[in-house]
Amino acid sequence: MNDRSRSVLVIGAGVQGLSTATVLAEAGHRVRVRTSEHPSETTSAVAGAVWGPTSLWPVERARRWAERTYGVFLELATDPATGVHSAAGIVAGRTGFPETPPGSLGLLDGVRPCGAGELPPGFAVGMRANLPLVDMPRYMEYLSNRFLDAGGELVHSTVPSLSDAAGESSLVVNCAGVGARELVGDPGVRPVSGQHVVVENPGLDEFFVELSDVGEWTSYMPHGQRLVLGGTAVEHDWNRTPDPQVTEGILRRCGAIQPVLHDARVREELVGLRPHSDAVRLHTEHYAGARIVHDYGHGGSGVMVSWGCAYEVVELLLTDLDD
């Protein structure tokens, strides 16, 4: 095989791109990641993030991706350096769940309904669970270092077209996130902006996540001295500038559940662009002499299905290749 065909090009350095690149590099492949943003500047880096319920389509594939990712996160949670840790907490709804337990929580043991007095005012239903939480700035640094330690190459440069990518390698993985809208001409992928507020943790060690189908909800996720509060979702919004009024709303909603948060010191206000699509686009395309596996459109669930997607991408990319 020539040099072009032995290497793999991964487009994008968010959690999908870096997870896939790490799997490939640790399997002995020569891997280059090209990215327009440093991993610490991607939407992945400003996520909450918790492994929990997801509404991704296709449903059965998403559940498999989530289950495999859960197993990896449990292993990573044994090492504090990864930024992954397990925590107890509540997943709640103000009106009810479409299924009980909701989404991927049905994959787990030890999930139980909230008892009397466990739910905050205004919530009708809730489940208690122990779930992996991911401190994304630390996790993205860990993932970047793990990829580089495996011999991977991280290049800060844009990929203007699939033709450019195919000219560089006959094996390409497209994890461009919302950038796939322009890269592959897919109008079905669109930005959903989300704002979080990071405050000094006043001592909370449990999480709270509201499931909501409207554009705002209440959540807090402890990561040591940092507490990430959420959240919002605004479709077709490319603006990454934090809105002070949105920050006030997040603080107000979280303070209504945990009064100690009324006086918490704000450390950061963060905005990311979730790559939303009606269904995750994970499939193979043959283009200009290259095999391209597309993997984008995970919305706000990219972290919780990241390893499951990464392993499926690698299987699709390398199936039936000659040695």
Side-chain angles (χ1 to χ4, degrees):
M1 300 176 75
N2 60 35
D3 184 71
R4 173 176 169 272
S5 61
R6 284 201 304 265
S7 64
V8 181
L9 172 64
V10 177
I11 304 171
V15 71
Q16 290 288 329
L18 277 183
S19 300
T20 303
T22 298
V23 172
L24 287 163
E26 291 182 345
H29 301 281
R30 185 160 63 248
V31 187
R32 172 180 294 164
V33 173
R34 287 178 62 182
T35 176
S36 60
E37 297 178 310
H38 188 273
S40 64
E41 299 169 342
T42 62
T43 288
S44 297
V46 302
V50 61
W51 187 97
T54 176
S55 57
L56 290 178
W57 288 80
V59 173
E60 290 305 316
R61 290 177 76 191
R63 286 172 70 89
R64 291 197 299 270
W65 299 330
E67 186 173 19
R68 194 163 192 180
T69 303
Y70 177 77
V72 176
F73 280 158
L74 285 188
E75 295 178 7
L76 295 178
T78 64
D79 180 1
T82 65
V84 183
H85 62 105
S86 293
I90 292 175
V91 177
R94 295 183 186 271
T95 57
F97 295 146
E99 58 179 339
T100 301
S104 50
L105 293 190
L107 299 170
L108 309 183
D109 296 324
V111 179
R112 66 165 178 83
C114 288
E118 288 187 282
L119 286 174
F123 287 85
V125 63
M127 307 293 294
R128 285 197 62 88
N130 282 279
L131 300 177
L133 269 62
V134 187
D135 185 354
M136 290 308 293
R138 290 172 58 201
Y139 182 65
M140 293 301 287
E141 181 180 8
Y142 157 79
L143 205 54
S144 299
N145 290 335
R146 180 171 161 179
F147 168 63
L148 295 173
D149 289 345
E153 181 184 7
L154 186 64
V155 179
H156 188 216
S157 69
T158 59
V159 178
S161 67
L162 287 184
S163 295
D164 178 85
E168 181 171 328
S169 175
S170 63
L171 298 173
V172 178
V173 180
N174 168 26
C175 295
V178 74
R181 181 182 177 91
E182 297 298 329
L183 181 65
V184 301
D186 185 351
V189 62
R190 53 202 183 272
V192 176
S193 68
Q195 184 163 325
H196 286 128
V197 181
V198 182
V199 301
E200 295 283 356
N201 189 350
L204 301 179
D205 57 9
E206 292 200 353
F207 67 85
F208 182 90
V209 175
E210 176 188 356
L211 297 188
S212 171
D213 57 3
V214 298
E216 62 181 32
W217 60 88
T218 305
S219 64
Y220 52 83
M221 303 174 202
H223 302 293
Q225 296 183 348
R226 299 170 68 250
L227 191 69
V228 181
L229 314 181
T232 62
V234 183
E235 288 217 21
H236 302 287
D237 181 11
W238 292 92
N239 186 8
R240 297 184 66 171
T241 302
D243 184 336
Q245 291 186 336
V246 172
T247 294
E248 290 179 8
I250 291 173
L251 292 171
R252 183 175 60 252
R253 294 195 301 276
C254 290
I257 294 175
Q258 280 288 350
V260 294
L261 296 177
H262 282 304
D263 300 320
R265 187 174 75 85
V266 175
R267 294 175 52 166
E268 293 180 283
E269 300 166 76
L270 306 170
V271 177
L273 303 181
R274 305 179 184 98
H276 183 74
S277 180
D278 293 338
V280 175
R281 311 295 171 86
L282 203 167
H283 60 90
T284 305
E285 176 184 5
H286 295 277
Y287 178 82
R291 175 181 291 186
I292 301 174
V293 178
H294 299 283
D295 179 27
Y296 63 88
H298 305 83
S301 299
V303 175
M304 71 161 296
V305 297
S306 53
W307 289 102
C309 288
Y311 285 112
E312 183 166 323
V313 166
V314 172
E315 292 165 5
L316 291 175
L317 187 72
L318 302 180
T319 296
D320 299 328
L321 289 183
D322 295 330
D323 294 332

